[in-house]
Each structure stands twice: as structure tokens, then as C-alpha cells.
Amino acid sequence: MNFNITLLPGDGIGPEVVTEAVRVLEIIASKYNHAFAFAERLMGGCSIDKFGSSLTDETLADCKSADAVLLGAVGGPKWDDPAAKDRPERGLLALRKGLGVFANLRPVKVHPALIDSSPLKPEKLEGVDILVVRELTGGLYFGWPKGRDFKDGRERAVDTLEYYDYEVKRVMELAFTLAKGRKKKVTSVDKANVLESSRLWRQIATKIGKENPDVELEHMLVDTASMRLITGPAWMDVVVTENMFGDILTDEASVLAGSMGMLPSASLSESASGLYEPIHGSAPDIAGKGIANPIGTILSAAMMLRHSFKLEVEAASIENAVDATITAGCRTADLGGPLSTRQMTDEIISRM
Ligand code: NAD
């Protein structure tokens, strides 16, 4: 099969890890007789430097016409000035909105051989296998009005948390569908004791729960969920939540896996196309050293094969190779080992 993939390596370690994921995809293409055509574009800080915009219209158009997009990471101290008129994160939000990727899937699995890399007690981590489904294009990050002004002689800042019923419904339905292929349990996270948008969220979750009686639904307040992720993560299966709660809870959940560098994500739209990226940032502290862990990006490429291209066998072959590589004791610096980004990928490729 033929697929067009737009690559957005971005800033910092982004290009280092995307290069390795492309190597893995090229092995898949030759082994399973597919053709992947890669088109590389600038996005984030590097795009601000070259074009004066974190995401140009041309790059967005290329991403929209591709079968899938693989992103590294964007941002860094060079573009951190809060007064700047464009920032790398703006490009990321515009990309998500432009692609219509309304659901972000972040699997968090604790590999048995890495249990000691997590700050949590080993007995808390056994059997942890969570899929966080985060709403990605609504809520506080996109609501309007938003901005700063002066009112009654005081400086004021406003953000708006807004959700339409259809935005909640589509992400909730996706969570239930995904739960059916897993342990059939959905934890819907909200703040319904305080927020009106959360009461709408809970109402729709309850309705979809009734339509899917084979899936167990529990409602949980976001404060309880943040505790539960640390005190009893093994009890959770699919966790579905709104944009900002998901942003925070997924970073908390990443601690369970031992390193930010391990975790992939998939952002899905109504069409088959999607945006795939590791959950970590551009890691300016290690950029250019060749020591970044490439696994989060390589597993994101596997998610791309599964969700956008429906190549389940190929996706599983990458995931199995990563598992075997970790089991064999191969480690990059973030996991306390000596391997470089390239050497870690070589180990994975040798097991594919
Ligand atoms: P970060 O994820 O870049 O780094 C946090 C820590 O984890 C650092 O110590 C880093 O070295 C380590 N780390 C991250 N990925 C790693 C990997 N693959 N291998 C080994 N170690 C890894 O988060 P940060 O430092 O808060 O942010 C740095 C920049 O990245 C900021 O400009 C931020 O805005 C941006 N950022 C971008 C994204 C994105 O592109 N999606 C996400 C988060 C942060």
C-alpha cells in the first residue's frame, strides 16, 4: 500500500527522534511491501526563524492533504518571550485545530523491566495499562473571549471554558469504542461539582454509558483522578477527559512509565488521517547530544500504522520489538543506560 506522510521534526530533540522513527518505518515498508513517501516541513520555532510564522498556510495545507502527520516536538528557550507575537505552541494548537484532531490518545503502559525506573512503589505499578483519551480542540485553550485588558483600573486576564454537546459526544463515543477492545471500563473525568461545562460533560457521558451497557462507566472528579493515578493506577482502563484536565493528567501518568521519552500519542479526526507525536517536548537540555530516547516517537509511528493506515500486524511488530529491546536491558540515558538515540533504534530494528 502507498501512503504520504508529512514529517514535522520541529525543534530541539524533535529532528533527532523523528529521523529514527523514519528509519523504523522504512524497515516496515521494505519488509511488508509498502511505499511510504515522506515530505519534511518546518513547524514551531524553526518555522518562526525561517518564515516568521510557527505554522505557515502551505505547511498546514501539506499536512491536511497527507495520509498522516508525524511530529517531533516544538519550542525552546529561544522562542519563550511571552511578548512575542508568535510562539511555537501557537503553531501546534493551530495544527490540531486545522486538522480537526479532536481526540488525543495516550497509552500509558508500564513495562515490567522498567518498574524500578518509576518513582512509585513497584506494587502500585504492576498491571498498569491505561489509555487516556483527551479532548483536544475545545475547552479552555480555544474558548472565546480570551485576552488581557484593563477594567475598573485593574489589569484583567480572561480565558473561556466552553464545550458544545457534539464535541463531548464524539470524544466520549470514541472512548467507549476503544474500551470495547480493552477491559471494557471507562472513567470519565470532570469537575461537575463546580463547572457547568463539566455538568454537560457528565450528562453526555451518562447517556452514552446507557447506550453501551457492556462497558462499565464511572465518573470521577479531576482532583480524585489525579490522586488515583498515583495511588491505584492499575484500576484504570480508558480515562476520558476534557482538554486541560487531560493535558495535566497525561503528564502525571507519564511518570508511571519511568520516562517522558517512552510515551507515544495519536490525535485522531473524523477522517482516517491523524497527527502522531511523542508526548515529550523539545528537551533543550539534551538537544544535539544524540542521547534522546527515540521510543516515544517510534511507538507514535506504530500508532500511525494502526489508526490511520489500518496496518495492525506492522504496528504490533514495532511494539513487540520495542518490548523485546527493553526486556533485553537496552537503555538510553533517561533510563540510566549508555545507549545513544541511534544505538537504541539499531537495537529495536535488529528485533523487528
Ligand atoms: P520536555 O518534555 O522537553 O523535557 C522534560 C524533561 O524530560 C527534560 O529533562 C528532558 O531532557 C527529558 N526528556 C524529554 N523527552 C526526552 C526523551 N525523548 N529522551 C530523554 N529525555 C527526555 O519538557 P520541558 O522541558 O518542560 O519543555 C521544553 C520545551 O518543549 C518547551 O519549550 C515546551 O514549551 C516544549 N514542549 C513542547 C511539546 C510539544 O511539542 N508537543 C510538549 C511539551 C513541551
Side-chain angles (χ1 to χ4, degrees), residues 51-69:
F51 302 118
S53 166
S54 52
L55 176 70
T56 64
D57 293 346
E58 293 75 19
T59 299
L60 179 58
D62 289 342
C63 291
K64 279 181 169 175
S65 64
D67 295 310
V69 179

Side-chain angles (χ1 to χ4, degrees), residues 13 73-76 89 92 260-261 277 280-286 292-293 334:
I13 61 169
V74 297
E89 294 76 11
L92 198 52
M260 294 277 275
E277 55 182 312
H280 60 74
S282 59
D285 52 336
I286 58 165
N293 187 340
D334 53 312

Side-chain angles (χ1 to χ4, degrees), residues 25-194:
L25 286 171
E26 277 166 348
I27 301 286
I28 290 288
S30 71
K31 201 170 155 200
Y32 294 91
N33 213 11
H34 303 302
F36 298 140
F38 298 102
E40 195 172 315
R41 299 286 177 265
L42 297 179
M43 213 279 273
C46 55
S47 181
I48 294 177
D49 288 350
K50 175 122 194 227
F51 302 118
S53 166
S54 52
L55 176 70
T56 64
D57 293 346
E58 293 75 19
T59 299
L60 179 58
D62 289 342
C63 291
K64 279 181 169 175
S65 64
D67 295 310
V69 179
L70 183 65
L71 172 81
V74 297
K78 185 176 173 193
W79 306 282
D80 260 356
D81 178 3
K85 70 178 195 317
D86 194 1
R87 291 164 59 92
E89 294 76 11
R90 187 206 64 82
L92 198 52
L93 293 184
L95 179 67
R96 289 170 180 166
K97 197 77 177 174
L99 291 175
V101 286
F102 65 86
N104 179 240
L105 276 51
R106 293 191 181 188
V108 180
K109 225 173 170 171
V110 181
H111 193 290
L114 289 180
I115 278 189
D116 291 332
S117 303
S118 168
L120 264 72
K121 293 194 180 106
E123 61 268 26
K124 300 260 183 234
L125 293 168
E126 263 163 44
V128 169
D129 181 1
I130 302 172
L131 177 63
V132 184
V133 181
R134 165 189 168 195
E135 201 291 324
L136 203 58
T137 49
L140 202 57
Y141 297 176
F142 292 97
W144 201 257
K146 174 189 281 294
R148 301 270 276 265
D149 61 7
F150 284 87
K151 201 176 173 193
D152 304 327
R154 301 209 175 256
E155 189 171 12
R156 186 176 74 134
V158 177
D159 293 291
T160 301
L161 174 45
E162 170 187 70
Y163 268 108
Y164 282 89
D165 53 359
Y166 78 92
E167 294 176 298
V168 181
K169 184 168 177 280
R170 65 186 177 186
V171 74
M172 197 61 70
E173 283 173 345
L174 178 66
F176 274 82
T177 302
L178 291 164
K180 287 181 187 188
R182 298 170 49 97
K183 288 182 232 150
K184 297 192 171 59
K185 185 170 174 194
V186 168
T187 303
S188 171
V189 174
D190 60 38
K191 187 73 181 164
N193 53 343
V194 179

